[in-house]
Amino acid sequence: MYSSSVNGAYSPAKTFANIFISFVGAGVLGLPYAFKEAGIIEGTIIMIVVAVMSVKAMLLLIDSKNFLEHQRPPALEREKDDENSLLSERSQSEYDYGDLALLTFGPVAWWAVQIAVVCAQVGFCCAYLVFIMVNVNDIF
């Protein structure tokens, strides 16, 4: 049941390690190595810069949502019967990335956001299937 592959590269321990890394996250497990390579000072500076940028991006998204809730731009005032409307009829607190793109850059940006989301999701699914195929195949 736990036989290794033909070239002997896989074992139950390696399979468990791969599955563990997928659940915990390679980024968290790779931090010690990254700090070893970058150094404690440079690693800390890079971590702080990335953290500040992440928080700033999150706060910008929240500010954009709050702006949409309070300003209610004309693009959101479309009639329910307007079949060409890209914004669906939702409550004011249910905006997504596409809505923000539509209001700032127009329909082309809305489509670009939708395509980017679909591509990201398809990529995640493909990576997950490959990961499961490789690791589950080693177990059985």
Side-chain angles (χ1 to χ4, degrees):
M1 181 169 156
Y2 290 110
S3 64
S4 60
S5 64
V6 175
N7 62 4
Y10 300 109
S11 69
K14 288 182 180 179
T15 302
F16 174 78
N18 283 333
I19 292 173
F20 179 76
I21 287 171
S22 73
F23 287 119
V24 173
V28 172
L29 294 174
L31 276 177
Y33 177 76
F35 270 87
K36 177 185 157 235
E37 292 296 314
I40 193 75
I41 302 216
E42 185 180 2
T44 302
I45 291 170
I46 291 171
M47 286 287 291
I48 290 171
V49 168
V50 169
V52 167
M53 289 172 48
S54 296
V55 169
K56 180 67 175 168
M58 178 189 64
L59 292 175
L60 281 172
L61 286 172
I62 292 170
D63 289 344
S64 299
K65 178 185 174 279
N66 290 337
F67 175 79
L68 289 176
E69 285 179 349
H70 292 94
Q71 298 299 321
R72 198 78 178 145
L76 294 178
E77 300 296 335
R78 296 184 181 170
E79 296 293 325
K80 286 184 180 181
D81 298 333
D82 186 5
E83 294 177 7
N84 296 326
S85 175
L86 295 175
L87 291 175
S88 61
E89 294 297 326
R90 297 179 277 194
S91 72
Q92 289 184 349
S93 63
E94 296 179 1
Y95 297 119
D96 60 15
Y97 294 118
D99 296 340
L100 182 59
L102 176 65
L103 293 171
T104 53
F105 298 110
V108 173
W110 184 87
W111 282 106
V113 168
Q114 301 307 317
I115 290 169
V117 168
V118 168
C119 289
Q121 294 301 318
V122 168
F124 298 148
C125 290
C126 290
Y128 179 74
L129 289 174
V130 168
F131 174 81
I132 293 298
M133 179 186 69
V134 168
N135 291 306
V136 171
N137 189 32
D138 293 338
I139 294 174
F140 298 106

